[in-house]
């Protein structure tokens, strides 16, 4: 605890770096994962290959993945962002597909029957209704990415992992605890605030929960 | 307006084939309300869904407004066809007003006009807009949701409306009210309506024509009077059920029963228009009390006598149609397709 008390600025700076890294990662993961999920619901044959590949990637230990990528993308931020994005894709793609698949058939029938085009159906009906499930996937990915990003400190990209690895090399358990604690709090906080955001975005229950 | 020519639909799922609709030919004229009725699984919904192309026929042709639906733009076609979906199918994340106004929104109506239209229609289906417009579907009962579904189908004022058991989840009293409302709408704006129901009373109340389906086929297609007086087979009789006699009287006019007056017909007596039904005539007789003569003079449009209906003949008709039939074993399966109970005669 002493380290936290003595160097709040340092911990804060590393936390900021950590958040930034995860945020950039999630930006790409959502940008790629949600559209891919949507495409899968239209072109079903893609499901096996895409889920299979991202699933396999998910099982590769992060340190190994970093190491494998270094020859191609170098030692640094680029590698870390790509690797973290690949890890995040699985949950986001899978939940996008599940969210859209799980919509009541009658609702989708109505959307088609009312004369919505494919795009209108997607934007007006499918995505808004699948959003809670997609958000759940994002939460899962964010929490995992915050954890994996600590290891990324080995790649020289900063973040809370720095504290942990510094602590290990200096045999300073205070630093290790400070880093681990900050990362956990960050993960919990992210999870909680994304859950809250998800609730705010849910339109169909707002009124019944006394909102408005 | 809508023509089905030898339309079939075969579903194939998991190696199994279901002949949901089997060589159905059907015509729905402009301004006509045609009821599709039949036991569960007889292909009513599938038939309807092929009209707005939610299903593609595996055989035959469907023509709307003179054009094969397969050649029309599917989105445009659907916006011209109002559709009330069997299970409601409201959008859970839209308010009731937004649900009603969804087709106007797709058609690009300005916001204010959409809102006005939604409120107007909610009032029409008995949901006061000030109480219901801003709720979400899950805050409504099943019957209320169905009414929103009906309002939604009417929103863009489509010339053709497909209604799949629109009043199925509504209580009998509201149902009567909605049926009356639909008749009123129909009397003023004359939509072309295909209406699916399980309820034979509803079919007789609303249908200009009734199409009775069973196992994907049309068993009989005719006016309510046709079905009552000339049932095509025992299945039709069984499906129409016990009230058949009562209903028949409702559809039988005096003109149909009157015979040319014989030599001995008295010249005096009550005169009633030929368009009056037998039921109305009996009520009329009851109200008038004792009348001269031994029958009714039936008159034409200009008030001229077109025939005479002696009381004994009227009594015979009432007796024949209302008295319980000399029925042997049930002629066919019951409308629900259950086997008859097989008691010895
Ligand atoms: N998508 C589908 N795949 C396979 N079979 C189907 C499908 N849709 C309908 N069927 C079958 O087609 C037949 C006719 O179904 P349909 O829904 O048209 O009946 P219905 O007359 O509307 O019945 P209900 O009164 O119960 O609504 C049924 O045997 C049904 O199981
Ligand atoms: Mg049906």
């Amino acid at each position: 605890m002493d380290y936290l008390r003595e160097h709040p600025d340092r911990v804060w700076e590393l936390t900021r770096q950590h958040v930034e890294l995860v945020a950039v990662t999630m930006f790409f993961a959502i940008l790629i994962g949600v559209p891919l999920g949507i495409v899968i619901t239209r072109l079903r044959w893609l499901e096996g290959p895409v889920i299979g590949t991202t699933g396999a990637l998910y099982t590769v230990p992060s340190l190994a993945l970093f190491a494998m990528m270094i020859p191609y993308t170098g030692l640094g931020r680029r590698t870390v962002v790509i690797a973290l994005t690949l890890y995040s894709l699985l949950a986001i793609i899978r939940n996008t597909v599940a969210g859209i698949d799980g919509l009541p058939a009658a609702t989708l029938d109505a959307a088609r029957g009312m004369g919505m085009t494919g795009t209108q159906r997607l934007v007006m009906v499918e995505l808004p209704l699948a959003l809670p499930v997609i958000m759940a996937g994002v939460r899962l990915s964010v929490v995992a990415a915050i954890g994996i990003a600590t290891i990324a400190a080995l790649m020289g990209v900063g973040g809370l992992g720095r504290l942990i690895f510094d602590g290990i090399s200096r045999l300073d358990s205070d630093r290790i605890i400070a880093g681990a604690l900050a990362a956990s709090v960050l993960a919990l906080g992210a999870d909680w605030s994304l859950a809250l955001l998800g609730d705010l975005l849910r339109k169909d229950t707002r009124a019944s929960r006394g909102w408005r | 307006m809508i023509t089905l020519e030898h339309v079939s639909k075969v579903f194939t799922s998991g190696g199994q084939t279901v002949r949901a609709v089997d060589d159905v030919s059907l015509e729905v004229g402009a301004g006509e309300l045609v009821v599709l009725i039949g036991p569960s699984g007889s292909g009513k919904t599938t038939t309807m869904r092929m009209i707005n192309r939610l299903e593609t026929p595996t055989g035959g042709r469907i023509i709307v407004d003179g054009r094969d639906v397969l050649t029309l733009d599917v989105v445009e076609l659907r916006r011209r066809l109002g559709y009330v979906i069997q299970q409601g199918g409201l959008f859970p994340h839209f308010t009731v007003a937004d649900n009603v106004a969804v087709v106007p929104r797709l058609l690009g109506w300005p916001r204010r006009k959409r809102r006005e239209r939604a409120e107007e229609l909610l009032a029409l289906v008995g949901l006061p807009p000030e109480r219901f417009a801003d709720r979400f579907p899950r805050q409504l009962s099943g019957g209320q949701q169905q009414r929103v579904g009906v309002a939604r189908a009417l929103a863009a004022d489509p010339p053709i409306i497909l209604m799949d058991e629109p009043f199925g989840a509504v209580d009998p009293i509201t149902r009567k009210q909605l049926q009356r409302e639909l008749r009123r709408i129909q009397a003023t704006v004359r939509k072309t309506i295909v209406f699916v129901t399980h309820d034979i009373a509803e079919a007789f109340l609303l249908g200009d024509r009734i199409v009775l389906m069973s196992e994907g086929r049309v068993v009989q297609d005719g006016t309510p009077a046709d079905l009552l007086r000339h049932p095509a087979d025992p299945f039709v009789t069984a499906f129409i059920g016990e009230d058949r006699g009562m209903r028949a009287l409702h559809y039988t006019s005096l003109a149909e029963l009157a015979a040319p007056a014989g030599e001995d017909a008295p010249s005096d007596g009550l005169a009633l228009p030929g368009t009056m039904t037998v039921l109305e005539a009996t009520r009329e007789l009851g109200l008038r009390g004792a009348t001269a003569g031994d029958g009714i003079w039936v008159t034409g449009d200009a008030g001229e006598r077109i025939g005479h209906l002696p009381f004994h003949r009227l009594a015979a008709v009432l007796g024949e149609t209302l008295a319980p039939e000399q029925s042997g074993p049930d002629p066919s399966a019951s409308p629900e397709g259950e086997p008859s109970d097989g008691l010895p005669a």
Side-chain angles (χ1 to χ4, degrees), chain A:
Chain A
M1 278 300 170
D2 291 344
Y3 190 87
L4 262 180
R5 214 174 300 125
E6 284 156 27
H7 306 278
D9 292 352
R10 169 105 175 114
V11 175
W12 180 246
E13 171 60 17
L14 291 174
T15 305
R16 203 192 53 72
Q17 286 172 2
H18 207 99
V19 169
E20 197 191 300
L21 196 63
V22 171
V24 171
T25 297
M26 291 322 294
F27 173 78
F28 286 116
I30 292 171
L31 202 68
I32 298 166
V34 173
L36 252 178
I38 293 166
V39 169
I40 287 174
T41 62
R42 316 281 137 141
L43 303 173
R44 217 65 228 199
W45 58 269
L46 276 172
E47 182 166 21
V50 172
I51 300 287
T53 311
T54 47
L57 275 170
Y58 199 73
T59 62
V60 179
S62 45
L63 212 52
L65 188 60
F66 290 143
M68 282 188 317
M69 286 175 60
I70 290 173
Y72 307 101
T73 51
L75 186 76
R77 201 179 160 82
R78 192 153 45 137
T79 305
V80 173
V81 170
I82 293 175
L84 282 180
T85 302
L86 290 177
Y87 281 124
S88 306
L89 281 179
L90 180 65
I92 293 178
I93 295 176
R94 209 151 58 178
N95 280 40
T96 303
V97 174
I100 292 177
D101 280 353
L103 298 183
T107 307
L108 295 180
D109 256 7
R112 291 203 297 151
M114 295 303 124
M116 289 189 186
T117 63
T119 317
Q120 286 169 335
R121 225 159 64 219
L122 183 69
V123 174
M124 292 171 75
V125 179
E126 288 171 307
L127 282 182
L129 288 177
L131 200 64
V133 183
I134 298 176
M135 279 301 289
V138 171
R139 276 169 65 192
L140 224 65
S141 290
V142 165
V143 172
I146 288 174
I148 299 170
T150 53
I151 295 169
L154 286 178
M155 310 281 290
V157 292
L160 291 165
R162 274 290 296 281
L163 280 182
I164 298 174
F165 289 114
D166 285 358
I168 292 171
S169 54
R170 295 179 198 190
L171 296 175
D172 174 2
S173 62
D174 234 27
R175 277 179 207 242
I176 300 178
I177 290 170
L181 200 66
S184 307
V185 169
L186 187 60
L188 283 174
D191 195 37
W192 180 79
S193 40
L194 285 173
L196 192 71
L197 181 67
D199 266 1
L200 291 183
L201 291 174
R202 270 189 92 121
K203 288 198 173 146
D204 55 334
T205 50
R206 196 189 299 167
S208 56
R209 286 192 194 165
W211 276 83
R212 306 169 55 87

Side-chain angles (χ1 to χ4, degrees), chain A residues 109-110 112 115 120 124 204, chain B residues 49 75 78-79 89 92-93 138:
Chain A
D109 256 7
R112 291 203 297 151
Q120 286 169 335
M124 292 171 75
D204 55 334
Chain B
R49 286 163 60 87
V75 165
R78 288 173 184 156
R79 288 179 190 173
H93 58 309
R138 72 175 54 187

Side-chain angles (χ1 to χ4, degrees), chain B residues 3-307:
Chain B
T3 311
L4 276 68
E5 293 175 353
H6 304 287
V7 171
S8 298
K9 176 73 190 183
V10 179
F11 287 108
T12 348
S13 52
Q16 279 199 323
T17 60
V18 180
R19 198 165 269 283
V21 175
D22 191 2
D23 193 24
V24 165
S25 293
L26 193 64
E27 184 124 7
V28 185
E32 205 177 11
L33 193 157
V34 171
V35 172
L36 299 184
I37 192 166
S40 195
S42 55
K44 308 179 294 292
T45 297
T46 308
T47 302
M48 175 170 275
R49 286 163 60 87
M50 285 190 285
I51 298 173
N52 65 3
R53 286 186 55 186
L54 285 173
E55 306 286 359
T56 313
T58 46
R61 280 206 314 165
I62 298 179
I63 293 154
V64 171
D65 279 342
R67 297 191 52 189
D68 187 329
V69 288
L70 294 180
T71 67
L72 297 170
D73 178 67
V74 68
V75 165
E76 228 170 274
L77 171 76
R78 288 173 184 156
R79 288 179 190 173
R80 279 198 300 136
L81 304 184
Y83 179 39
V84 185
I85 192 169
Q86 184 167 4
Q87 312 90 326
L90 298 183
F91 302 117
H93 58 309
F94 284 10
T95 61
V96 165
D98 287 343
N99 263 288
V100 173
V102 67
V103 181
R105 180 168 160 200
L106 296 176
L107 293 172
W109 292 21
R111 181 180 296 272
R112 270 203 43 184
K113 196 172 155 209
R114 286 192 328 238
R115 177 77 190 189
E116 278 167 18
R117 180 70 178 152
E119 291 186 353
E120 180 190 339
L121 284 166
L122 285 173
L124 183 74
V125 296
L127 300 172
E130 59 279 7
R131 276 177 49 211
F132 288 96
D134 297 316
R135 291 204 203 170
F136 284 87
R138 72 175 54 187
Q139 298 167 303
L140 266 53
S141 72
Q144 289 167 340
Q145 290 184 22
Q146 271 195 329
R147 284 189 261 172
V148 177
V150 172
R152 180 171 68 175
L154 293 169
D157 209 12
I160 301 175
I161 305 176
L162 311 174
M163 305 179 116
D164 198 347
E165 301 194 28
F167 310 141
V170 180
D171 66 278
I173 293 174
T174 315
R175 191 174 178 130
K176 270 263 141 32
Q177 195 182 315
L178 288 173
Q179 289 167 345
R180 231 175 287 135
E181 205 54 57
L182 182 63
R183 269 170 62 128
R184 198 182 61 71
I185 298 170
Q186 192 52 0
T188 50
V189 294
R190 277 282 144 197
K191 302 283 183 191
T192 303
I193 299 178
V194 181
F195 190 105
V196 170
T197 182
H198 270 122
D199 179 351
I200 189 78
E202 189 166 77
F204 277 98
L205 181 70
L206 297 174
D208 295 317
R209 256 182 37 238
I210 297 176
V211 176
L212 180 56
M213 295 186 68
S214 168
E215 294 174 17
R217 296 178 151 272
V218 173
V219 183
Q220 187 162 8
D221 173 350
T223 62
D226 285 342
L227 261 74
L228 289 165
R229 286 207 233 107
H230 315 291
D233 63 20
F235 174 80
V236 180
T237 316
F239 199 87
I240 293 173
E242 289 162 8
D243 297 339
R244 187 161 58 97
M246 219 36 204
R247 290 216 180 87
L249 293 177
H250 204 75
Y251 285 96
T252 307
S253 66
L254 291 180
E256 290 171 82
L257 295 178
E263 294 293 302
D264 52 340
S267 60
D268 56 353
L270 182 63
L272 294 174
T275 51
M276 197 176 247
T277 67
V278 172
L279 271 188
E280 287 166 342
T282 35
R283 190 187 309 134
E284 195 64 34
L285 284 171
L287 287 176
R288 305 249 174 153
T291 47
D294 66 351
I296 301 168
W297 279 102
V298 180
T299 58
D301 291 342
E304 81 283 8
R305 292 181 171 187
I306 56 173

